[in-house]
Amino acid sequence: MSDDLVFDTGFTTPSGECARLSPLVRRIVAGNPGPITFTGTCSYIVGNGRVAIIDPGPDLADHVEALLNAVRGETVTHILVSHTHRDHSPAARAIKEATGALIVGCSAHRSARPLALGEANMLEASSDKDYAPEQELFEGDTVEGPGWRLSAVATPGHMANHLAFALPEERTLFSADHVMAWSTTVVAPPDGAMSDYMASLEKLRAREDEIYWPGHGGPVREPQRFLRALALHRRQREASILNRLREGDRAIPAIVAAIYQGLKPALIGAAGLSVFAHLEDLVARGIVRTDGEPTLTSEYRLA
């Protein structure tokens, strides 16, 4: 079977609609479409009667209302949060206020590393620094209800505190932003790290989940093939960056222009952060050099 990376961009579920995905899983898409969020954030309801909500999403009144309407007559026991981006976690507070459910999941916001001297965090505004879990989940920790159990799977990379959640009753993984069928994942220092991301991909390859429900877009239906394709894509991107350094490119904008030809202007910044993540990893591995700590504005050369 081919390991070519093929994306599924045909997802059409409208925002606000509660879709039944399986006996245990329902999904509501938030009305926050965009270049990074695709058609919007996917929030999931797990269970029947006594339920959990995974990634309640942005604090949009219409989305919060749709989630609350979907669970009317049921008891929400847990609100699980995969990571602290503003398109995933802020509505947890409104859902808790309305239901009394416990907010559990990832740690409070943290970065993969400290800022270098003079470095700015380009994604600072996207972080939900008000998120505060009542119970932090670590690898293997579980929450459960009638007929369901959700287990935390640590998957740092996209962010340092990123978690996925496994539902063994349906051999399902809620993969949040770590693995998505519609696009590759943004990995952007200092909040994320390419070395962590690649290690998390390998970790998931050791699992036997049959379907992923991601944070944006439709399901990943052949997880093992897709994981292999994602890893190969990242290795090929690394090779392209090294080739540009051999050709004499030294700065990230020049590398982006050469290897992301035809990219939509709205995605150029994300592409630069992705190249930066690869270069940071290559410097740590001794393959690439730069003067001082790696930053977005550093000049890079082969070691």
Side-chain angles (χ1 to χ4, degrees):
M1 184 177 294
S2 172
D3 284 345
D4 292 341
L5 187 57
V6 178
F7 295 120
D8 178 5
T9 58
F11 185 71
T12 57
T13 300
S15 64
E17 177 182 299
C18 185
R20 170 68 68 174
L21 306 178
S22 74
L24 286 174
V25 180
R26 289 165 277 174
R27 177 186 62 209
I28 298 178
V29 181
N32 62 327
I36 302 299
T37 57
F38 192 35
T39 66
T41 302
C42 295
S43 298
Y44 297 95
I45 301 165
V46 176
N48 299 286
R50 293 180 64 82
V51 306
I53 294 176
I54 297 176
D55 278 354
D59 191 9
L60 301 175
D62 287 350
H63 184 57
V64 171
E65 183 179 7
L67 283 168
L68 293 176
N69 284 338
V71 298
R72 201 164 302 283
E74 300 180 285
T75 300
V76 182
T77 59
H78 298 86
I79 305 161
L80 288 86
V81 175
S82 65
H83 65 292
T84 46
H85 274 152
R86 290 190 178 275
D87 58 323
H88 285 260
S89 57
R93 296 181 282 278
I95 299 294
K96 176 179 176 57
E97 183 177 352
T99 66
L102 285 175
I103 298 175
V104 304
C106 68
S107 69
H109 178 76
R110 59 187 174 87
S111 296
R113 61 161 175 80
L115 286 171
L117 183 64
E119 182 184 15
N121 185 346
M122 302 301 291
L123 296 179
E124 182 83 16
S126 69
S127 300
D128 178 11
K129 295 189 176 180
D130 293 327
Y131 166 80
E134 295 167 273
Q135 179 185 351
E136 184 176 346
L137 299 182
F138 298 91
E139 177 73 24
D141 287 347
T142 63
V143 296
E144 57 188 271
W148 59 266
R149 184 175 76 258
L150 290 164
S151 177
V153 182
T155 47
H158 174 63
M159 289 190 76
N161 64 355
H162 194 284
L163 295 177
F165 301 106
L167 178 65
E169 289 83 358
E170 295 187 346
R171 301 190 72 175
T172 289
L173 186 75
F174 297 93
S175 56
D177 283 5
H178 183 60
V179 179
M180 300 177 289
W182 79 280
S183 176
T184 56
T185 297
V186 173
V187 180
D191 290 349
M194 189 60 67
S195 58
D196 290 344
Y197 179 79
M198 296 299 288
S200 292
L201 285 183
E202 288 303 309
K203 176 181 182 176
L204 293 192
R205 289 181 65 179
R207 296 180 54 85
E208 297 181 351
D209 307 293
E210 294 183 351
I211 190 169
Y212 290 178
W213 295 112
H216 306 273
V220 178
R221 295 194 180 278
E222 297 181 83
Q224 288 301 319
R225 184 204 63 78
F226 200 74
L227 289 169
R228 291 193 300 270
L230 280 175
L232 177 60
H233 170 78
R234 293 292 183 176
R235 289 193 293 269
Q236 290 172 335
R237 182 68 73 209
E238 179 182 286
S240 296
I241 292 168
L242 291 172
N243 184 59
R244 294 315 309 167
L245 293 177
R246 291 188 192 96
E247 293 295 320
D249 290 342
R250 293 290 176 263
I252 288 174
I255 296 172
V256 169
I259 66 177
Y260 288 93
Q261 296 181 16
L263 187 67
K264 294 178 181 179
L267 297 176
I268 289 175
L273 289 168
S274 180
V275 169
F276 177 31
H278 277 289
L279 286 166
E280 182 178 78
D281 181 43
L282 288 164
V283 169
R285 290 155 55 194
I287 298 170
V288 169
R289 291 180 180 173
T290 188
D291 296 328
E293 296 295 324
T295 69
L296 272 169
T297 57
S298 298
E299 291 196 348
Y300 296 90
R301 60 191 182 275
L302 294 176

